[in-house]
Amino acid sequence: MALEVSVPSSMASLLLVLCYGMVMVGVVNSARFYELFRPSWALDHFIYEGDLLKLKLDNYSGAGFESKSRYLFGKVTAQIKLVEGDSAGTVTAFYMSSDGPTHNEFDFEFLGNTTGEPYLVQTNVYVNGVGNREQRLSLWFDPTKDFHSYSILWNQRLVMFLVDETPIRLHTNLEHRGIPFPKDQAMGVYSSIWNADDWATQGGRVKTDWSHAPFVSSYKAFEIDACECPVATTAADNLKRCSSGGGEKRYWWDEPTMSELTLHQSHQLMWVRAKHIVYDYCTDTARFPVTPAECVHHRH
């Protein structure tokens, strides 16, 4: 059974509580790794230093972990410090995914670089098993020098990727245009580090230099503020229980203010797109001679 507690996720949520006169509910989980997650492979490549978790990649293996529960709507966040120095060929991923061939998935993939070159962040959205919606951007800071927060916000209206609370990508619900939107499958939260030198750095031209191994990504301050879904519950029941109903039950992610970007967020996203986007599948006419339908209708 999910623990439902009245915990505003932000000052904005607190104001909404006051305005609506209702109890805002969510599932607010501790930042301790083992309370939320479990290792999923290569346990000997995990390093624990108090509340700090490190995953290492060497020429034997990478490593990965997954959430103990599945969720439908809400926000997941991890603070991550990426591999320092020459990380070419490596990928550190932080993502949400459901199971099966028609799965939904929201990806952060951090593509390693040669020393002195900028890290690139690739995002992707899978809907009903179909991906190919990559965007890549450079960051406005060095993600190897300190921890930064990476978040995925998901509700019935949108999927938003955020870096230090700055939106870098918005995928909106366009079901009224006949375009599927991921809202019917509970998703787990995952992270991993692995070798992807066949594509990750300069299209695979720069390979992993194993003399620099182990490559280490560090994590702390995990947060899952979302609706937990019991394994045996049907998709329809999950959708019902994880959406705001009548009476006093309201989830913060269903509030009207969460259905679109604020003016400030819109300006932030415009800045990111103008200054930092280096690849957008929507403008790749070689791959997509016919512009993908969602690209025609998305404002961002």
Side-chain angles (χ1 to χ4, degrees), residues 146-157:
D146 204 350
F147 287 90
H148 293 268
S149 69
Y150 301 92
S151 305
I152 300 168
L153 169 64
W154 175 34
N155 60 34
Q156 295 187 68
R157 303 288 187 90

Side-chain angles (χ1 to χ4, degrees), residues 191-265:
S191 190
S192 57
I193 184 170
W194 78 94
N195 179 46
D197 66 5
D198 57 332
W199 66 272
T201 306
Q202 297 182 28
R205 289 188 296 273
V206 181
K207 303 300 183 180
T208 304
D209 183 347
W210 293 109
S211 70
H212 294 145
F215 303 99
V216 177
S217 287
S218 303
Y219 302 78
K220 67 177 184 178
F222 300 96
E223 183 178 351
I224 299 178
D225 188 352
C227 183
E228 187 175 352
C229 297
V231 173
T233 307
T234 66
D237 286 341
N238 279 335
L239 183 59
K240 182 177 180 180
R241 69 185 300 277
C242 293
S243 303
S244 296
E248 294 185 349
K249 182 180 178 181
R250 294 196 71 92
Y251 289 108
W252 64 264
W253 52 81
D254 284 335
E255 292 306 315
T257 54
M258 304 306 297
S259 65
E260 59 185 3
L261 298 182
T262 66
L263 182 60
H264 178 60
Q265 288 175 324

Side-chain angles (χ1 to χ4, degrees), residues 5-17 20 22-29 72-77 151-158 160 162 165 223-227 242-245 248-260 265:
V5 292
S6 174
V7 180
S9 66
S10 65
M11 183 58 71
S13 295
L14 177 59
L15 292 174
L16 284 166
V17 172
Y20 280 85
M22 298 181 178
V23 176
M24 304 288 289
V25 294
V27 180
V28 181
N29 284 301
L72 190 69
F73 310 134
K75 185 178 182 182
V76 302
T77 300
S151 305
I152 300 168
L153 169 64
W154 175 34
N155 60 34
Q156 295 187 68
R157 303 288 187 90
L158 55 83
M160 190 189 310
L162 304 107
E165 294 303 310
E223 183 178 351
I224 299 178
D225 188 352
C227 183
C242 293
S243 303
S244 296
E248 294 185 349
K249 182 180 178 181
R250 294 196 71 92
Y251 289 108
W252 64 264
W253 52 81
D254 284 335
E255 292 306 315
T257 54
M258 304 306 297
S259 65
E260 59 185 3
Q265 288 175 324

